[in-house]
Amino acid sequence: MVILENNRLKLVQPDLQYLEAMHRIHADPSTNRYNPGGPHESIEQTREMLLNWMDDWKRDEIGYFIMIEKASNDVIGMCGVRYRDWQNGRIFNLAYRLDTAYTRKGYTKEANELVLQYIHDTIDTNPKIVARTKYNNIPSIKTAEALGLALNPRFDNFEEPGDVYLFNKGCFA
């Protein structure tokens, strides 16, 4: 079981014990404002998501984490990476979603710094990372940029209209 920590956060592997908290976050329209899939309509949809995340960990030994604020022990979001096929290779797809009550406090950046350090230390010292978001999701773009990723206009609207892609330095196919 992988657990990552800093002074404010604990990141844990997904488990069904977090189902209700993850459903609260993923069913909230405000946390899914830029999510093409929209908010979850049922707890069963969230259960399937968690089971998929758990399968990622079994198969790849990496995946998304549940983000817990240490001071309150509250589940406040998720973050992490999944492998994604990208132009004849594999790349880490960085993702994050945070309960709106915890935004603008640096949690997302801190959590993903832990994830990126973990990847560097255990999987790949020179990982290729992409983050996909919408052109108007300024908070997500700013977070990705703060983590060292940069917009690449060559991939704007690549999968859907309004999509933008940010890549880490040295990652370009």
Side-chain angles (χ1 to χ4, degrees), residues 2 9 39 76 84 94 122 134 151 173:
V2 176
L9 296 171
I76 64 171
R84 172 184 179 156
L94 183 68
T122 63
K134 293 294 184 185
L151 286 165

Side-chain angles (χ1 to χ4, degrees), residues 22 25 40 58 60 90-91 115 127 129 133-134 160 164 170:
M22 283 289 97
I25 292 166
H40 287 186
K58 288 177 193 166
D60 300 325
R90 284 176 67 172
I91 190 168
V115 171
I129 299 168
T133 191
K134 293 294 184 185
E160 293 181 6
V164 295

Side-chain angles (χ1 to χ4, degrees), residues 121-138:
D121 292 347
T122 63
I123 298 172
D124 188 342
T125 57
N126 190 27
K128 294 181 179 182
I129 299 168
V130 63
R132 172 188 174 202
T133 191
K134 293 294 184 185
Y135 75 94
N136 57 348
N137 189 348
I138 303 305

Side-chain angles (χ1 to χ4, degrees), residues 138-161:
I138 303 305
S140 183
I141 291 170
K142 294 294 183 194
T143 297
E145 289 175 336
L147 293 166
L149 281 68
L151 286 165
N152 186 327
R154 177 176 160 201
F155 293 100
D156 287 356
N157 306 307
F158 186 66
E159 291 179 72
E160 293 181 6

